[in-house]
Amino acid sequence: MSTPENPTAVEIGVDTFGDVSSLESGIVLTPAQTLRAIVDEAVLADRVGLDFFGIGEHHRADYAVSSPEMVLSAIGAKTDNIHLTSAVTVLSSDDPVRVYERFSALQGLTSGRAEIIVGRGSYIESFPLFGYSLDQYEELFDDRLDLFSRLITGEPVTWQGTTRAPLENQLVHPAPESPLPAWVAVGGTPQSVVRAARYGMPVILAIVGGQPARFAQFADLHRRALAEFGHAPQPLGVHSPGYIAETDEQARDEFFPYFAEAMEKFSKGRGGTGYSRAQFDRDATRGALMVGSPETVAPRIADTLTTLGASRFSLKYSSGHMPHEQSLRSIELYGTEVAPRVRELLGQRAGATGTTGEGGE
């Protein structure tokens, strides 16, 4: 792939799943305290010039955010420039009309800074919670993405599916003042990529393990599928975990316990065996983890964007009970040192090769 034509247009931001966090003193925060800490982290992200801040949706004791748009609304009242997005909204177990209404309202409250990333999420607790059968796992997402893709046009919708009532020439309110940017998060299966392309939607590739280069096939598939379906080129984004500190050693030592905590919980819930320091060090050296000093992480992000032809990078900055103070320091280094260096590197590569961008609009 090629370096983006205009590196300054590359979007660099952060996201969080809303893990219940702690303080460096060892005190574990309550979910309410975690919500307020997330708002403070987003305010800092805005102050250091990051492009967007994302929040995931979960319905579990280890995560504080069940309604991303509520927290994003609080953030919007305290920030000026940063764009605000879900990361992700679990569309399968929600009603697309209500999702669109809520984010349309957020778009109005924040003067056009709202975005939405829809997906199926990493966990399945929302299905029984809201009365949906896991037997309909695929059907629910297919059906609701089809409806949601029509809602975001802002035009009257006539639609009939299998998982909710049909609509007949229905306008949905409130109408946003500007179009609502919407992405589909995919975990790296061809079917998910093609599904998003069928609706002409941009994708976020969730790269949490292995080498980012192995996702180039999915980036290429998305571009080809968009063309085959007759859609215009769409942006491509990347989401990966990471953590920034003054040195590589400090970053790895500080981040590993909390990342391992989250990975072991996720892995064991699916029959896995946990997550070792050796595996972490491999992932932080050559894999998906963007962990290290600004001098180490910036070139790796630039390489990922270049390899995939992507125009957006989202760093998942929190993990497990990682202290709020560490999150703040990481966000500050990411915004003040990593992001400018990524753009500088991309600019140098574009100038040296004369390539043009394929990943964004």
Side-chain angles (χ1 to χ4, degrees):
M1 290 302 102
S2 58
T3 301
E5 183 176 7
N6 182 7
T8 61
V10 169
E11 296 176 308
I12 300 175
V14 290
D15 67 75
T16 176
F17 287 178
D19 309 67
V20 172
S21 58
S22 67
L23 299 177
E24 287 182 328
S25 64
I27 297 173
V28 176
L29 299 180
T30 66
Q33 290 169 328
T34 297
L35 290 172
R36 295 191 289 271
I38 290 170
V39 173
D40 290 342
E41 289 156 7
V43 169
L44 175 61
D46 183 51
R47 182 165 61 80
V48 298
L50 292 174
D51 294 311
F52 59 87
F53 189 92
I55 303 178
E57 172 194 347
H58 295 87
H59 305 269
R60 303 166 53 89
D62 44 346
Y63 296 103
V65 182
S66 60
S67 178
E69 59 273 25
M70 289 292 292
V71 187
L72 294 172
S73 182
I75 292 168
K78 292 190 171 186
T79 57
D80 298 313
N81 300 303
I82 199 164
H83 282 226
L84 308 169
T85 183
S86 58
V88 302
T89 291
V90 184
L91 190 62
S92 308
S93 55
D94 209 333
D95 183 270
V97 174
R98 289 187 177 275
V99 169
Y100 179 76
E101 287 178 336
R102 297 195 301 261
F103 277 86
S104 180
L106 180 64
Q107 183 78 316
L109 287 168
T110 60
S111 301
R113 291 189 283 137
E115 302 178 359
I116 183 169
I117 302 174
V118 299
R120 291 185 287 188
S122 302
Y123 296 96
I124 58 174
E125 72 276 355
S126 63
F127 286 82
L129 180 65
F130 298 119
Y132 296 105
S133 171
L134 286 172
D135 292 338
Q136 292 183 288
Y137 186 78
E138 293 291 341
E139 180 186 6
L140 281 163
F141 189 70
D142 287 345
D143 208 42
R144 289 164 187 234
L145 183 62
D146 183 58
L147 174 54
F148 185 74
S149 71
R150 304 184 191 206
L151 292 166
I152 59 176
T153 67
E155 301 295 325
V157 173
T158 296
W159 175 90
Q160 183 169 350
T162 61
T163 63
R164 59 145 288 154
L167 299 176
E168 180 68 31
N169 198 35
Q170 180 69 56
L171 271 174
V172 178
H173 308 285
E177 292 178 320
S178 57
L180 176 66
W183 304 67
V184 178
V186 301
T189 65
Q191 296 86 350
S192 297
V193 172
V194 172
R195 180 194 290 117
R198 180 182 303 120
Y199 298 112
M201 297 181 70
V203 299
I204 301 288
L205 293 173
I207 305 179
V208 297
Q211 295 184 349
R214 71 185 179 90
F215 284 78
Q217 60 182 316
F218 300 113
D220 292 339
L221 175 61
H222 183 242
R223 283 183 275 269
R224 293 198 310 272
L226 283 168
E228 290 171 3
F229 286 119
H231 297 299
Q234 295 295 320
L236 179 85
V238 175
H239 152 103
S240 288
Y243 179 76
I244 320 299
E246 296 291 343
T247 67
D248 291 350
E249 182 179 11
Q250 178 188 355
R252 293 186 184 189
D253 287 346
E254 289 181 351
F255 190 60
F256 170 72
Y258 306 107
F259 186 71
E261 170 195 349
M263 287 296 290
E264 287 175 4
K265 190 178 299 180
F266 182 82
S267 176
K268 290 178 180 177
R270 289 159 173 74
T273 57
Y275 189 75
S276 69
R277 178 62 191 252
Q279 184 177 352
F280 171 81
D281 287 337
R282 287 194 300 271
D283 288 342
T285 302
R286 299 180 299 275
L289 300 186
M290 301 298 171
V291 178
S293 67
E295 295 78 14
T296 294
V297 172
R300 296 190 63 227
I301 292 176
D303 288 345
T304 297
L305 291 169
T306 301
T307 299
L308 301 182
S311 61
R312 181 180 179 110
F313 187 89
S314 184
L315 186 85
K316 182 184 178 293
Y317 70 87
S318 65
S319 193
H321 290 311
M322 192 172 82
H324 171 57
E325 297 94 335
Q326 288 183 207
S327 292
L328 291 172
R329 289 197 294 270
S330 180
I331 289 170
E332 183 161 16
L333 286 170
Y334 182 67
T336 59
E337 298 191 28
V338 174
R341 180 59 178 157
V342 170
R343 293 190 173 93
E344 179 184 4
L345 289 168
L346 293 175
Q348 291 172 354
R349 296 175 188 184
T353 63
T355 56
T356 58
E358 297 178 84
E361 293 181 304

